[in-house]
Amino acid sequence: ASPSSPTLSSKLENLLIGVGTFLEARALSNKPLGPLPPSAVHAFVFPLHVLLLTYWIILIYLLTLPTTLYLVVKTSLLGSNSTSCTLSQLIETSITPTSTVASSLMNDKKNCLPTRVIGLALTPLVIITDLTTSLYANFGDFLASGMYVFGVLITWWYWVFVLPWVAGVMGWVGVIYGGCLSLIEVAGV
């Protein structure tokens, strides 16, 4: 494959962004959809749009987790010349921000229920990154990177099976949630 050909991950990312853009444009068009007034369309589309953004974040997490793990192991074993980055750079630029973004999904009160539950499902990643950051501050980058590798490897099953399942279930909850909000708008309550 040529370097310019899109990968599966970029195709998935483009699909999520494309559908989210379409939903956002539909909601912001302020036009009725058949018998549904614009407010009902917006009420239905908004949770789905936020959920698609959350799926996009999860996709990024699931794609960067093994990449970061690989870079940490390679840098630890072969040195920073093999990866062109130090363990400190990996911790500060790839690992530490993970905790902040994952926590904000759960803690932001503006997020709809499915997004907050997915943020809650990312709690193991927050714990791993917070422990890594704490070890980095107190004991240095080598021990901290070891903690990250250990934490990610013992929870591999969670990232492969549980997180995608929770995301799928929350997708359906988002559809039902949006439908309920739309019905409330139609009823004028």
Side-chain angles (χ1 to χ4, degrees):
S2 69
S4 62
S5 65
T7 61
L8 176 63
S9 60
S10 66
K11 288 179 183 177
L12 286 171
E13 189 174 354
N14 287 337
L15 176 71
L16 287 172
I17 292 172
V19 172
T21 302
F22 170 77
L23 290 176
E24 183 179 30
R26 183 67 196 143
L28 295 176
S29 69
N30 211 21
K31 295 179 183 173
L33 180 64
L36 296 175
S39 61
V41 173
H42 182 72
F44 181 75
V45 167
F46 178 72
L48 298 178
H49 181 258
V50 172
L51 192 63
L52 284 172
L53 288 173
T54 305
Y55 280 177
W56 180 49
I57 291 169
I58 287 177
L59 179 67
I60 291 169
Y61 278 146
L62 292 178
L63 294 174
T64 58
L65 204 62
T67 305
T68 304
L69 185 68
Y70 170 75
L71 289 173
V72 166
V73 169
K74 188 173 180 181
T75 304
S76 296
L77 296 176
L78 302 176
S80 61
N81 289 337
S82 64
T83 58
S84 301
C85 58
T86 65
L87 289 174
S88 295
Q89 289 171 330
L90 285 169
I91 291 170
E92 292 170 3
T93 60
S94 297
I95 297 172
T96 303
T98 302
S99 177
T100 306
V101 174
S103 296
S104 70
L105 288 176
M106 182 177 54
N107 296 329
D108 189 358
K109 298 200 185 310
K110 295 178 203 166
N111 285 338
C112 60
L113 175 70
T115 302
R116 294 182 79 180
V117 171
I118 290 172
L120 182 62
L122 287 170
T123 299
L125 184 60
V126 172
I127 292 169
I128 292 168
T129 56
D130 286 351
L131 282 171
T132 301
T133 305
S134 177
L135 286 173
Y136 175 61
N138 295 316
F139 299 105
D141 55 8
F142 188 74
L143 189 60
S145 61
M147 171 59 213
Y148 181 77
V149 169
F150 177 74
V152 170
L153 287 179
I154 65 169
T155 57
W156 69 269
W157 55 272
Y158 188 83
W159 314 119
V160 173
F161 299 113
V162 177
L163 192 60
W165 181 82
V166 169
V169 169
M170 288 301 107
W172 286 106
V173 170
V175 169
I176 293 167
Y177 186 69
C180 291
L181 290 175
S182 185
L183 285 173
I184 290 169
E185 284 295 320
V186 169
V189 176

